[in-house]
Amino acid sequence: MFSGPPADPAAPPGPGLPAAAAVPAPTDDAPFAGGTPGQQSGRPAPGRSWTTPLLLCAAGTLALLVALLGPGLVARGTGELRIPGAGLTTVLRTVLFAALALHLGELLAPQLIRPVRGRPRTAVRSWAVRASLAGAAAAAGQIVRLAAVSDLGITETYGTREGGLLLLIANGLVLAALCAASRRPALALAPLALVIGAEALRAHPEAYSPEFGAALTVVHLTAASLWTGGLLYVLRTMWIWRGSPVAARALLGRYARLAIWLYVALAATGTASALRRLPLDVVFTSAYGRTLLVKLALMAVVSVLAVAARRRMLRDADPSAAHLLARREQVLLGLVVVVSAILTVVPDPHWISLRP
């Protein structure tokens, strides 16, 4: 999902052009380099038909391995209690976060697309219904895992704080999927807001200022979902608009202006959350601290790619170079989602802090 040009059903079946065409075929490095989608044949370029599926499989495999093995690796040697089923929980939470990002991104991006002058009428196919249903299934999976770990029945699990919030999340995502399938998909904003609020409360059961932590998480999770999901939708749209580089460049510019404010919100809430939750004496000796350092390193690279894409967009009339940089940014953002899921699974670092 996060690597290479999106294999979108609404896009042409392949990037190649017939041998007799007068314009060159677009390549991965220059997807806007020739022809409109209607001018291209359905036959992919020789030797390139498996590139995107292979990249998608490689990215998915890497994300799965990081989710399954990450919690154990970052906790090695810390002396913290082992979290039962941490790898599986991370996978389920990654799916939940990805579902939120996809659905919120689809609600945001059309607002950026609508004002673009001269835009093609071709639109990408919605993934919102499937994404929200996958997120609901992931929340239900966490309820089952919680019941198994706690040795409780499903009904009894609903009565616990975490089980009740997970049930609320699952129901909210099902309702969001129904809204997305209706004639007024914007109605999904209400259940998605409920999901984000429930997730923020679920992530902060600690005794020290949980309300403040939940408020920070609401802003942080919303901004992260809009950034990640919005960028994916914009890249998918740019790919099917590759025959209209002016419109594609204008769309990326509109997203980039919004992304600056999302980045500010992420940086502010992320810093406040880290200062609140992570004692300085366990930054390198707790699973939470180590995971946070990995996330900060990834975000630093994402920031560099975002700035580079913006500069290329402002300098070049052809958006292909900026599109390539933004695709790489999207890949790393996908990995950031996985690492963020690990952060919600590892133990609270206050338990091993030397502070009284």
Side-chain angles (χ1 to χ4, degrees):
M1 180 177 71
F2 290 101
S3 63
D8 191 82
L17 289 169
V23 291
T27 66
D28 281 345
D29 291 333
F32 298 86
T36 63
Q39 292 173 316
Q40 299 179 23
S41 74
R43 184 177 181 180
R48 304 244 350 246
S49 59
W50 293 100
T51 300
T52 297
L54 286 175
L55 288 174
L56 290 172
C57 288
T61 302
L62 175 61
L64 182 61
L65 289 175
V66 171
L68 289 173
L69 304 178
L73 292 176
V74 295
R76 184 170 297 176
T78 64
E80 294 172 298
L81 293 176
R82 178 179 172 272
I83 305 296
L88 175 60
T89 304
T90 302
V91 172
L92 294 174
R93 300 201 63 71
T94 299
V95 174
L96 174 60
F97 291 157
L100 273 175
L102 283 170
H103 203 149
L104 283 174
E106 288 202 10
L107 291 174
L108 166 71
Q111 312 307 315
L112 303 176
I113 292 172
R114 207 166 285 123
V116 175
R117 295 181 179 179
R119 69 183 188 278
R121 296 303 176 185
T122 309
V124 298
R125 183 172 297 177
S126 173
W127 291 348
V129 173
R130 285 173 288 180
S132 287
L133 290 178
Q142 291 177 73
I143 295 174
V144 173
R145 187 208 65 84
L146 179 61
V149 169
S150 306
D151 197 22
L152 297 172
I154 294 296
T155 304
E156 296 172 305
T157 304
Y158 294 156
T160 66
R161 180 182 185 275
E162 182 171 1
L165 289 172
L166 285 171
L167 179 62
L168 185 60
I169 290 170
N171 289 333
L173 286 169
V174 170
L175 183 56
L178 292 175
C179 291
S182 72
R183 294 184 178 181
R184 301 185 65 183
L187 291 176
L189 279 173
L192 289 176
L194 182 66
V195 168
I196 291 174
E199 169 56 27
L201 291 174
R202 189 217 61 82
H204 292 279
E206 66 273 0
Y208 52 94
S209 61
E211 298 83 3
F212 182 58
L216 289 174
T217 298
V218 166
V219 178
H220 193 82
L221 184 55
T222 302
S225 298
L226 290 174
W227 185 4
T228 306
L231 178 59
L232 179 61
Y233 196 96
V234 165
L235 289 177
R236 291 174 63 205
T237 301
M238 290 180 68
W239 178 246
I240 65 172
W241 286 6
R242 57 192 181 275
S244 303
V246 174
R249 182 175 180 272
L251 174 59
L252 186 59
R254 292 183 60 84
Y255 169 80
R257 288 189 289 274
L258 174 64
I260 293 174
W261 296 106
L262 295 176
Y263 183 87
V264 170
L266 281 171
T269 54
T271 301
S273 294
L275 292 175
R276 170 187 170 275
R277 196 162 195 179
L278 181 62
L280 294 179
D281 55 300
V282 294
V283 170
F284 298 100
T285 58
S286 66
Y288 189 94
R290 293 172 178 178
T291 307
L292 183 60
L293 290 175
V294 173
K295 182 178 178 179
L296 291 176
L298 289 172
M299 286 302 298
V301 180
V302 168
S303 302
V304 171
L305 289 173
V307 171
R310 180 173 176 80
R311 288 181 175 177
R312 292 301 296 265
M313 178 191 65
L314 294 175
R315 187 176 61 188
D316 300 339
D318 184 355
S320 58
H323 185 268
L324 177 61
L325 290 168
R327 281 160 45 197
R328 293 172 179 172
E329 176 189 344
Q330 181 74 78
V331 172
L332 288 180
L333 282 175
L335 192 54
V336 169
V337 171
V338 181
V339 175
S340 299
I342 296 176
L343 273 177
T344 68
V345 174
V346 295
D348 188 331
H350 277 80
W351 291 107
I352 63 170
S353 174
L354 299 177
R355 298 189 313 178

